[in-house]
Amino acid sequence: MGRKSIYIQITNETKAELVNTEKHHSNFCVRHRCKIVLLYVDGYSVASIADIMQTNIISIYKWLHRYNEEGIKGLLTKSGQGRKPILKEQHLSIVRKTVEQERQRLQKARQIIEAEIGKPLSHSTLTRFLKVITAVTNE
């Protein structure tokens, strides 16, 4: 049993806005989703769009439905997506104090920080956080 086709009616202004968003938006995912809608409006089948965009058919239908319901705003990535950070801004003082005390033994500093914040912390997460701290303070 196949899926029902989606009817998307689009004006010239809306198409121009989609093209502009597809070319100039800072987020690759949003550009990718705009391209999906534009291809569909141009008459491509969902299966051929999936081949062109190298994604699955279910994703194509999902973005077409979201566009149909919400317009271009539906193609944007909603907040709260992705993995939540382990170290936050509130942990900044703990990390700085601990690294200053144990600057030659980062493994020991990581163990102290883990005990302070109550969460497991990998070495790479700590070094990534330290790079962000130094980048912000060097500006």
Side-chain angles (χ1 to χ4, degrees):
M1 187 163 103
R3 293 184 176 260
K4 293 180 182 178
S5 62
I6 301 169
Y7 180 69
I8 296 178
Q9 188 172 6
I10 194 166
T11 63
N12 288 339
E13 296 86 31
T14 309
K15 187 169 184 175
E17 187 179 0
L18 270 170
V19 169
N20 186 42
T21 304
E22 187 230 338
K23 288 184 179 181
H24 302 294
H25 199 277
S26 60
N27 187 328
F28 168 77
C29 294
V30 175
R31 294 192 311 265
H32 189 81
R33 296 166 193 160
C34 286
K35 183 70 172 176
I36 288 170
V37 174
L38 287 168
L39 288 171
Y40 188 77
V41 168
D42 287 343
Y44 286 83
S45 70
V46 172
S48 61
I49 295 171
D51 288 339
I52 292 167
M53 302 305 286
Q54 298 178 346
T55 188
N56 60 39
I57 292 173
I58 295 169
S59 294
I60 303 295
Y61 276 109
K62 178 180 114 176
W63 292 114
L64 292 174
H65 280 293
R66 286 243 322 243
Y67 177 77
N68 221 7
E69 292 172 3
E70 304 173 40
I72 290 182
K73 289 183 182 179
L75 302 178
L76 302 177
T77 304
K78 293 183 178 179
S79 64
Q81 301 297 309
R83 183 177 177 184
K84 307 299 179 250
I86 295 171
L87 291 172
K88 299 177 183 165
E89 199 171 315
Q90 64 197 32
H91 300 121
L92 185 63
S93 62
I94 296 169
V95 172
R96 277 193 178 158
K97 179 186 73 162
T98 308
V99 169
E100 284 176 9
Q101 290 173 351
E102 301 290 341
R103 73 173 35 137
Q104 294 298 317
R105 301 182 301 176
L106 201 55
Q107 189 69 13
K108 177 72 174 166
R110 184 183 62 79
Q111 292 170 350
I112 294 169
I113 294 168
E114 279 182 345
E116 289 272 334
I117 66 172
K119 295 180 187 175
L121 181 70
S122 71
H123 180 76
S124 59
T125 300
L126 180 59
T127 54
R128 213 172 22 251
F129 189 72
L130 291 172
K131 285 179 184 178
V132 169
I133 291 173
T134 55
V136 169
T137 54
N138 288 341
E139 288 180 350

